[in-house]
Amino acid sequence: MSLPVHATALETVTYYGLRFFSALVLLFLIVPILIIIPLSFNAEPFFTFTEGMLRLDAEAYSLRWYQNIWDSAEWRLSIKNSVIVGVCATILAMTLGTVAALGLSQRHMPFKGAIMGLLISPMIVPLIISAASMYFFFTKVNLAQTYLGVIMAHAVLGIPFVIITVTATLVGFDDNLTKASASLGANPRHTFFKVTFPLIRPGVISGALFAFATSFDEVVVVLFIAGTEQRTIPREMWAGMREQLSPTILAVATLLIIMSTLLLLTVELLRRRSDRIRGVTE
């Protein structure tokens, strides 16, 4: 959006005023996050800027807290658990969410609105309620304090993201393509992998990335369901904040910020690619 050539004084003030206000809101949201990054290089075990850091003294900065991540058995275990749980939960959420989105996209699907609301309810219901419900259910079926239980719980939280992104990709999908494939003798499986999936792939991958980020960053459900062997990175950060306050947490948080930024950039690239495939011009 650009300022019109013959804009009035009021339009000019409004235009730049909105830009200035938006910049203030962005700074309000981003600055607290960005402060974590330089603090993670503090050579001293403090959560504040030292005089040497403010003077930009090289000796006041160190990578000791990043090194501590790899030297600590607890952090290595939490990273391993987060990767295993995140990947498995993402695969499960991606598969079930894509199937659900394809079913909901059918024109003659009964109770479509009610089913859609039920499937995306984990995004709406407060997480503490979902975690408590999962805890009582998984305890009954002996899945509490197991890897399978944590994976299934995180998959439940990730499925709504896959459903929403795939459903958005299916908007405007031309059913004549699948009919043409069937008329040429292709079976449903061949039609899906050769016709449907290439068109919805950006939505599937975007949903999978959101599901992975949700699993990697989730702590409430892990507090309820996971045992000592299933401690993930957020669970280890939670324990560190309560038991042993260390700048290692800031180093881990910085790495998570970088990972989240890369995931968001990837999602944006996939969105633009999906728009190009569908012939949408901005």
Side-chain angles (χ1 to χ4, degrees):
M1 180 180 178
S2 59
L3 188 65
V5 178
H6 302 289
T8 63
L10 179 59
E11 291 175 339
T12 303
V13 172
T14 303
Y15 175 79
Y16 288 107
L18 287 175
R19 280 178 165 269
F20 178 73
F21 180 75
S22 300
L24 289 180
V25 173
L26 182 62
L27 288 175
F28 178 77
L29 296 174
I30 298 299
V31 169
I33 299 176
L34 296 181
I35 289 178
I36 293 176
I37 298 176
L39 282 177
S40 67
F41 296 98
N42 191 351
E44 302 295 332
F46 305 131
F47 276 62
T48 58
F49 289 97
T50 61
E51 294 183 0
M53 294 183 69
L54 295 177
R55 294 196 308 266
L56 299 180
D57 186 355
E59 296 182 355
Y61 294 86
S62 173
L63 294 174
R64 59 181 294 193
W65 309 117
Y66 291 89
Q67 182 64 37
N68 190 50
I69 297 175
W70 311 115
D71 293 341
S72 172
E74 290 81 6
W75 282 112
R76 290 200 304 269
L77 177 62
S78 65
I79 293 173
K80 174 185 173 183
N81 288 337
S82 289
V83 172
I84 293 175
V85 172
V87 171
C88 295
T90 298
I91 294 174
L92 185 58
M94 180 177 62
T95 303
L96 297 179
T98 301
V99 173
L102 290 172
L104 291 170
S105 67
Q106 301 300 314
R107 296 180 180 178
H108 304 291
M109 179 73 179
F111 308 108
K112 183 184 299 185
I115 297 174
M116 183 68 169
L118 180 64
L119 291 176
I120 67 172
S121 61
M123 295 180 61
I124 304 171
V125 177
L127 195 55
I128 186 68
I129 297 177
S130 299
S133 302
M134 292 179 187
Y135 170 74
F136 287 115
F137 175 75
F138 286 173
T139 300
K140 295 292 185 181
V141 295
N142 297 322
L143 287 177
Q145 299 186 3
T146 64
Y147 281 101
L148 180 59
V150 178
I151 290 171
M152 292 179 63
H154 281 191
V156 170
L157 300 178
I159 285 175
F161 293 96
V162 180
I163 293 176
I164 291 174
T165 56
V166 176
T167 300
T169 307
L170 287 169
V171 173
F173 182 80
D174 190 358
D175 293 332
N176 291 325
L177 296 175
T178 58
K179 294 178 181 179
S181 177
S183 67
L184 294 174
N187 56 42
R189 176 178 173 275
H190 191 79
T191 298
F192 173 77
F193 285 104
K194 295 296 183 180
V195 178
T196 305
F197 184 73
L199 294 175
I200 67 173
R201 181 164 48 202
V204 174
I205 298 176
S206 297
L209 291 176
F210 278 118
F212 180 80
T214 301
S215 172
F216 216 82
D217 192 47
E218 202 285 319
V219 64
V220 179
V221 171
V222 174
L223 287 173
F224 275 81
I225 297 177
T228 56
E229 295 298 323
Q230 296 87 40
R231 292 166 72 107
T232 59
I233 293 177
R235 176 66 178 85
E236 192 65 32
M237 294 177 69
W238 172 270
M241 293 294 292
R242 295 188 61 188
E243 301 168 4
Q244 184 180 1
L245 198 60
S246 169
T248 305
I249 299 174
L250 300 179
V252 176
T254 300
L255 295 177
L256 291 179
I257 291 172
I258 295 174
M259 186 194 74
S260 300
T261 303
L262 293 176
L263 287 177
L264 289 175
L265 291 175
T266 304
V267 170
E268 177 62 18
L269 292 175
L270 290 171
R271 184 192 65 81
R272 295 186 179 184
R273 182 176 183 276
S274 178
D275 289 344
R276 289 196 299 269
I277 292 176
R278 296 165 55 191
V280 177
T281 57
E282 298 183 354

Short mmCIF file of all heavy atoms in Angstrom, two decimals, residues 59-102:
data_model
loop_
_atom_site.label_atom_id
_atom_site.label_comp_id
_atom_site.label_asym_id
_atom_site.label_seq_id
_atom_site.Cartn_x
_atom_site.Cartn_y
_atom_site.Cartn_z
N GLU A 59 35.89 -9.35 26.07
CA GLU A 59 36.01 -10.33 27.14
C GLU A 59 34.71 -10.52 27.92
O GLU A 59 34.57 -11.49 28.66
CB GLU A 59 37.12 -9.91 28.11
CG GLU A 59 38.50 -9.89 27.47
CD GLU A 59 39.57 -9.50 28.48
OE1 GLU A 59 39.20 -9.18 29.64
OE2 GLU A 59 40.77 -9.54 28.13
N ALA A 60 33.78 -9.60 27.74
CA ALA A 60 32.50 -9.71 28.44
C ALA A 60 31.54 -10.64 27.73
O ALA A 60 30.47 -10.95 28.26
CB ALA A 60 31.86 -8.33 28.60
N TYR A 61 31.92 -11.09 26.54
CA TYR A 61 31.06 -11.98 25.75
C TYR A 61 31.71 -13.36 25.66
O TYR A 61 32.93 -13.49 25.62
CB TYR A 61 30.84 -11.41 24.34
CG TYR A 61 30.06 -10.12 24.33
CD1 TYR A 61 30.69 -8.89 24.50
CD2 TYR A 61 28.67 -10.13 24.17
CE1 TYR A 61 29.98 -7.71 24.50
CE2 TYR A 61 27.94 -8.95 24.16
CZ TYR A 61 28.61 -7.75 24.32
OH TYR A 61 27.90 -6.57 24.32
N SER A 62 30.88 -14.37 25.64
CA SER A 62 31.39 -15.74 25.63
C SER A 62 30.35 -16.68 25.03
O SER A 62 29.15 -16.39 25.02
CB SER A 62 31.74 -16.19 27.05
OG SER A 62 32.09 -17.56 27.08
N LEU A 63 30.85 -17.83 24.54
CA LEU A 63 29.98 -18.90 24.02
C LEU A 63 29.83 -20.03 25.04
O LEU A 63 29.39 -21.12 24.68
CB LEU A 63 30.55 -19.45 22.71
CG LEU A 63 30.57 -18.50 21.51
CD1 LEU A 63 31.29 -19.16 20.34
CD2 LEU A 63 29.17 -18.10 21.10
N ARG A 64 30.19 -19.75 26.29
CA ARG A 64 30.21 -20.81 27.31
C ARG A 64 28.83 -21.43 27.53
O ARG A 64 28.73 -22.63 27.78
CB ARG A 64 30.74 -20.27 28.63
CG ARG A 64 29.92 -19.11 29.19
CD ARG A 64 30.48 -18.57 30.51
NE ARG A 64 30.37 -19.55 31.57
CZ ARG A 64 30.56 -19.26 32.86
NH1 ARG A 64 30.87 -18.00 33.20
NH2 ARG A 64 30.43 -20.18 33.79
N TRP A 65 27.77 -20.64 27.39
CA TRP A 65 26.43 -21.17 27.65
C TRP A 65 25.95 -22.04 26.50
O TRP A 65 25.19 -22.98 26.72
CB TRP A 65 25.46 -20.03 27.92
CG TRP A 65 25.97 -19.09 28.97
CD1 TRP A 65 26.28 -17.77 28.82
CD2 TRP A 65 26.28 -19.43 30.33
NE1 TRP A 65 26.76 -17.26 30.00
CE2 TRP A 65 26.76 -18.25 30.95
CE3 TRP A 65 26.19 -20.60 31.09
CZ2 TRP A 65 27.16 -18.22 32.27
CZ3 TRP A 65 26.58 -20.56 32.43
CH2 TRP A 65 27.06 -19.37 32.99
N TYR A 66 26.40 -21.75 25.29
CA TYR A 66 26.09 -22.63 24.15
C TYR A 66 26.86 -23.94 24.28
O TYR A 66 26.34 -25.01 23.97
CB TYR A 66 26.42 -21.92 22.83
CG TYR A 66 25.50 -20.78 22.52
CD1 TYR A 66 25.77 -19.50 22.96
CD2 TYR A 66 24.33 -20.98 21.79
CE1 TYR A 66 24.93 -18.43 22.68
CE2 TYR A 66 23.48 -19.93 21.49
CZ TYR A 66 23.78 -18.66 21.94
OH TYR A 66 22.92 -17.62 21.66
N GLN A 67 28.10 -23.83 24.73
CA GLN A 67 28.88 -25.04 24.96
C GLN A 67 28.27 -25.88 26.06
O GLN A 67 28.30 -27.12 26.02
CB GLN A 67 30.32 -24.66 25.32
CG GLN A 67 31.25 -25.84 25.54
CD GLN A 67 31.46 -26.67 24.29
OE1 GLN A 67 31.53 -26.12 23.19
NE2 GLN A 67 31.52 -27.99 24.44
N ASN A 68 27.67 -25.23 27.05
CA ASN A 68 27.07 -25.94 28.17
C ASN A 68 25.87 -26.79 27.73
O ASN A 68 25.56 -27.80 28.35
CB ASN A 68 26.64 -24.94 29.24
CG ASN A 68 26.23 -25.63 30.53
OD1 ASN A 68 26.96 -26.48 31.04
ND2 ASN A 68 25.07 -25.28 31.05
N ILE A 69 25.23 -26.37 26.64
CA ILE A 69 24.10 -27.15 26.12
C ILE A 69 24.57 -28.55 25.73
O ILE A 69 23.95 -29.56 26.06
CB ILE A 69 23.46 -26.44 24.92
CG1 ILE A 69 22.88 -25.09 25.34
CG2 ILE A 69 22.36 -27.31 24.29
CD1 ILE A 69 22.35 -24.28 24.18
N TRP A 70 25.70 -28.61 25.02
CA TRP A 70 26.20 -29.89 24.52
C TRP A 70 26.94 -30.68 25.60
O TRP A 70 27.05 -31.90 25.52
CB TRP A 70 27.12 -29.66 23.32
CG TRP A 70 26.51 -28.74 22.31
CD1 TRP A 70 26.94 -27.51 21.95
CD2 TRP A 70 25.32 -29.00 21.54
NE1 TRP A 70 26.11 -26.97 21.01
CE2 TRP A 70 25.11 -27.86 20.73
CE3 TRP A 70 24.43 -30.07 21.45
CZ2 TRP A 70 24.04 -27.76 19.85
CZ3 TRP A 70 23.36 -29.98 20.57
CH2 TRP A 70 23.18 -28.84 19.79
N ASP A 71 27.44 -29.98 26.61
CA ASP A 71 28.14 -30.67 27.69
C ASP A 71 27.19 -31.28 28.72
O ASP A 71 27.59 -32.15 29.50
CB ASP A 71 29.09 -29.71 28.41
CG ASP A 71 30.24 -29.27 27.51
OD1 ASP A 71 30.50 -29.97 26.51
OD2 ASP A 71 30.85 -28.22 27.80
N SER A 72 25.95 -30.80 28.74
CA SER A 72 24.98 -31.26 29.75
C SER A 72 24.20 -32.47 29.23
O SER A 72 23.61 -32.41 28.15
CB SER A 72 24.01 -30.13 30.10
OG SER A 72 22.97 -30.60 30.92
N ALA A 73 24.20 -33.54 30.00
CA ALA A 73 23.44 -34.73 29.62
C ALA A 73 21.94 -34.45 29.60
O ALA A 73 21.21 -35.00 28.76
CB ALA A 73 23.75 -35.88 30.58
N GLU A 74 21.48 -33.59 30.53
CA GLU A 74 20.05 -33.27 30.58
C GLU A 74 19.60 -32.53 29.34
O GLU A 74 18.55 -32.84 28.76
CB GLU A 74 19.75 -32.43 31.83
CG GLU A 74 19.86 -33.18 33.14
CD GLU A 74 21.30 -33.30 33.60
OE1 GLU A 74 22.19 -32.69 32.96
OE2 GLU A 74 21.55 -34.00 34.60
N TRP A 75 20.39 -31.56 28.89
CA TRP A 75 20.02 -30.81 27.69
C TRP A 75 20.11 -31.69 26.44
O TRP A 75 19.27 -31.58 25.55
CB TRP A 75 20.91 -29.58 27.54
CG TRP A 75 20.52 -28.45 28.44
CD1 TRP A 75 21.22 -27.96 29.50
CD2 TRP A 75 19.33 -27.66 28.36
NE1 TRP A 75 20.56 -26.93 30.09
CE2 TRP A 75 19.39 -26.71 29.42
CE3 TRP A 75 18.24 -27.66 27.51
CZ2 TRP A 75 18.38 -25.78 29.63
CZ3 TRP A 75 17.22 -26.73 27.73
CH2 TRP A 75 17.30 -25.81 28.77
N ARG A 76 21.11 -32.55 26.37
CA ARG A 76 21.20 -33.44 25.21
C ARG A 76 20.00 -34.37 25.14
O ARG A 76 19.46 -34.63 24.06
CB ARG A 76 22.51 -34.26 25.27
CG ARG A 76 23.76 -33.44 25.03
CD ARG A 76 24.92 -34.36 24.62
NE ARG A 76 25.14 -35.40 25.62
CZ ARG A 76 25.98 -35.30 26.65
NH1 ARG A 76 26.64 -34.16 26.83
NH2 ARG A 76 26.14 -36.30 27.50
N LEU A 77 19.58 -34.89 26.30
CA LEU A 77 18.41 -35.75 26.32
C LEU A 77 17.15 -34.99 25.92
O LEU A 77 16.32 -35.51 25.16
CB LEU A 77 18.22 -36.35 27.72
CG LEU A 77 16.97 -37.23 27.92
CD1 LEU A 77 17.03 -38.45 27.00
CD2 LEU A 77 16.85 -37.65 29.38
N SER A 78 17.02 -33.76 26.38
CA SER A 78 15.83 -32.98 26.04
C SER A 78 15.79 -32.64 24.55
O SER A 78 14.72 -32.66 23.94
CB SER A 78 15.80 -31.69 26.86
OG SER A 78 16.88 -30.83 26.52
N ILE A 79 16.96 -32.36 23.96
CA ILE A 79 17.01 -32.10 22.52
C ILE A 79 16.62 -33.35 21.74
O ILE A 79 15.84 -33.30 20.78
CB ILE A 79 18.41 -31.61 22.11
CG1 ILE A 79 18.68 -30.24 22.72
CG2 ILE A 79 18.54 -31.54 20.60
CD1 ILE A 79 20.10 -29.75 22.51
N LYS A 80 17.17 -34.48 22.15
CA LYS A 80 16.83 -35.75 21.50
C LYS A 80 15.34 -36.03 21.60
O LYS A 80 14.70 -36.40 20.60
CB LYS A 80 17.64 -36.88 22.15
CG LYS A 80 17.27 -38.27 21.66
CD LYS A 80 18.02 -39.33 22.44
CE LYS A 80 17.53 -40.74 22.06
NZ LYS A 80 18.22 -41.78 22.86
N ASN A 81 14.77 -35.86 22.79
CA ASN A 81 13.35 -36.11 22.97
C ASN A 81 12.49 -35.16 22.13
O ASN A 81 11.49 -35.58 21.52
CB ASN A 81 12.97 -35.96 24.45
CG ASN A 81 13.49 -37.10 25.29
OD1 ASN A 81 13.75 -38.19 24.78
ND2 ASN A 81 13.65 -36.88 26.58
N SER A 82 12.87 -33.88 22.09
CA SER A 82 12.09 -32.91 21.32
C SER A 82 12.10 -33.25 19.84
O SER A 82 11.07 -33.14 19.16
CB SER A 82 12.64 -31.50 21.54
OG SER A 82 12.36 -31.04 22.84
N VAL A 83 13.25 -33.67 19.33
CA VAL A 83 13.33 -34.02 17.91
C VAL A 83 12.51 -35.28 17.62
O VAL A 83 11.73 -35.31 16.65
CB VAL A 83 14.80 -34.23 17.50
CG1 VAL A 83 14.88 -34.78 16.08
CG2 VAL A 83 15.57 -32.92 17.59
N ILE A 84 12.66 -36.30 18.44
CA ILE A 84 11.92 -37.55 18.22
C ILE A 84 10.41 -37.32 18.31
O ILE A 84 9.65 -37.70 17.42
CB ILE A 84 12.37 -38.62 19.22
CG1 ILE A 84 13.81 -39.04 18.96
CG2 ILE A 84 11.45 -39.85 19.14
CD1 ILE A 84 14.37 -40.01 19.98
N VAL A 85 10.00 -36.68 19.40
CA VAL A 85 8.56 -36.43 19.59
C VAL A 85 8.03 -35.50 18.51
O VAL A 85 6.95 -35.72 17.95
CB VAL A 85 8.31 -35.83 20.99
CG1 VAL A 85 6.87 -35.37 21.13
CG2 VAL A 85 8.64 -36.85 22.07
N GLY A 86 8.79 -34.45 18.18
CA GLY A 86 8.34 -33.49 17.18
C GLY A 86 8.17 -34.11 15.81
O GLY A 86 7.16 -33.90 15.14
N VAL A 87 9.15 -34.90 15.38
CA VAL A 87 9.07 -35.53 14.05
C VAL A 87 7.94 -36.54 13.99
O VAL A 87 7.13 -36.54 13.04
CB VAL A 87 10.42 -36.19 13.71
CG1 VAL A 87 10.29 -37.03 12.44
CG2 VAL A 87 11.50 -35.14 13.53
N CYS A 88 7.84 -37.40 14.99
CA CYS A 88 6.78 -38.43 14.99
C CYS A 88 5.40 -37.79 15.08
O CYS A 88 4.46 -38.20 14.36
CB CYS A 88 6.99 -39.40 16.14
SG CYS A 88 8.49 -40.41 16.01
N ALA A 89 5.24 -36.80 15.95
CA ALA A 89 3.95 -36.12 16.08
C ALA A 89 3.59 -35.38 14.80
O ALA A 89 2.42 -35.34 14.40
CB ALA A 89 3.98 -35.16 17.26
N THR A 90 4.58 -34.81 14.13
CA THR A 90 4.32 -34.09 12.88
C THR A 90 3.86 -35.05 11.80
O THR A 90 2.91 -34.74 11.05
CB THR A 90 5.59 -33.36 12.44
OG1 THR A 90 5.95 -32.39 13.43
CG2 THR A 90 5.36 -32.66 11.11
N ILE A 91 4.51 -36.19 11.67
CA ILE A 91 4.10 -37.17 10.66
C ILE A 91 2.67 -37.64 10.92
O ILE A 91 1.85 -37.74 9.99
CB ILE A 91 5.07 -38.36 10.65
CG1 ILE A 91 6.46 -37.92 10.19
CG2 ILE A 91 4.55 -39.49 9.77
CD1 ILE A 91 7.52 -38.99 10.29
N LEU A 92 2.35 -37.93 12.18
CA LEU A 92 1.01 -38.38 12.52
C LEU A 92 -0.02 -37.28 12.27
O LEU A 92 -1.09 -37.54 11.69
CB LEU A 92 0.98 -38.81 13.99
CG LEU A 92 -0.32 -39.42 14.51
CD1 LEU A 92 -0.70 -40.65 13.70
CD2 LEU A 92 -0.19 -39.77 15.99
N ALA A 93 0.29 -36.05 12.69
CA ALA A 93 -0.64 -34.94 12.49
C ALA A 93 -0.81 -34.62 11.01
O ALA A 93 -1.93 -34.33 10.55
CB ALA A 93 -0.13 -33.70 13.24
N MET A 94 0.27 -34.69 10.25
CA MET A 94 0.20 -34.40 8.81
C MET A 94 -0.68 -35.42 8.09
O MET A 94 -1.50 -35.06 7.24
CB MET A 94 1.61 -34.39 8.22
CG MET A 94 1.67 -34.10 6.73
SD MET A 94 3.38 -34.03 6.13
CE MET A 94 3.93 -35.72 6.48
N THR A 95 -0.52 -36.70 8.45
CA THR A 95 -1.30 -37.75 7.79
C THR A 95 -2.79 -37.62 8.13
O THR A 95 -3.64 -37.57 7.23
CB THR A 95 -0.79 -39.13 8.22
OG1 THR A 95 0.60 -39.23 7.90
CG2 THR A 95 -1.55 -40.23 7.51
N LEU A 96 -3.09 -37.56 9.42
CA LEU A 96 -4.49 -37.50 9.84
C LEU A 96 -5.14 -36.17 9.44
O LEU A 96 -6.31 -36.14 9.01
CB LEU A 96 -4.59 -37.69 11.35
CG LEU A 96 -4.11 -39.04 11.88
CD1 LEU A 96 -4.23 -39.09 13.40
CD2 LEU A 96 -4.89 -40.19 11.25
N GLY A 97 -4.40 -35.08 9.55
CA GLY A 97 -4.95 -33.78 9.19
C GLY A 97 -5.24 -33.66 7.70
O GLY A 97 -6.26 -33.08 7.31
N THR A 98 -4.36 -34.20 6.87
CA THR A 98 -4.59 -34.15 5.42
C THR A 98 -5.81 -34.97 5.04
O THR A 98 -6.65 -34.53 4.23
CB THR A 98 -3.35 -34.66 4.68
OG1 THR A 98 -2.21 -33.86 5.03
CG2 THR A 98 -3.55 -34.59 3.17
N VAL A 99 -5.93 -36.17 5.60
CA VAL A 99 -7.09 -37.01 5.32
C VAL A 99 -8.38 -36.32 5.76
O VAL A 99 -9.40 -36.32 5.04
CB VAL A 99 -6.95 -38.38 6.01
CG1 VAL A 99 -8.23 -39.19 5.86
CG2 VAL A 99 -5.77 -39.15 5.43
N ALA A 100 -8.35 -35.70 6.94
CA ALA A 100 -9.53 -35.00 7.44
C ALA A 100 -9.89 -33.82 6.54
O ALA A 100 -11.08 -33.59 6.25
CB ALA A 100 -9.29 -34.53 8.87
N ALA A 101 -8.89 -33.06 6.10
CA ALA A 101 -9.16 -31.91 5.23
C ALA A 101 -9.74 -32.35 3.89
O ALA A 101 -10.66 -31.71 3.36
CB ALA A 101 -7.87 -31.12 5.01
N LEU A 102 -9.24 -33.45 3.35
CA LEU A 102 -9.78 -33.95 2.09
C LEU A 102 -11.23 -34.40 2.27
O LEU A 102 -12.07 -34.18 1.39
CB LEU A 102 -8.92 -35.11 1.58
CG LEU A 102 -7.52 -34.74 1.09
CD1 LEU A 102 -6.71 -36.00 0.79
CD2 LEU A 102 -7.60 -33.86 -0.16
#
